Amino acid sequence: MRRHRRIIGVFGSGTEAHEEWVVPLARWIAEAGFDLLTGEGGGVMSAAAAAFVQVEG
């Protein structure tokens, strides 16, 4: 049986992290069981990736 991956992409400023918005969003994405897709940039994408991997499980 084929498993469908549930992926949410987070993209934004490569210079501004906007952590007040991004950190809760990325944590929710991880806690809800989605996979995270970001660009390779800094700012929003880096903040999202860091918050996502901090969620256990």
Side-chain angles (χ1 to χ4, degrees), residues 1-2 4 7 11-12 15 19 24 26 32 36-37 44-46 50 55:
M1 176 177 260
R2 183 176 176 174
H4 294 278
I7 302 170
F11 299 89
T15 57
E19 290 179 346
L36 176 68
L37 173 68
V44 165
M45 295 162 285
S46 179
V55 175

Side-chain angles (χ1 to χ4, degrees), residues 6-29:
R6 301 179 331 156
I7 302 170
I8 295 179
V10 175
F11 299 89
S13 172
T15 57
E16 299 291 327
H18 299 287
E19 290 179 346
E20 67 279 2
W21 296 94
V22 173
V23 170
L25 173 63
R27 291 186 60 79
W28 176 84
I29 292 169

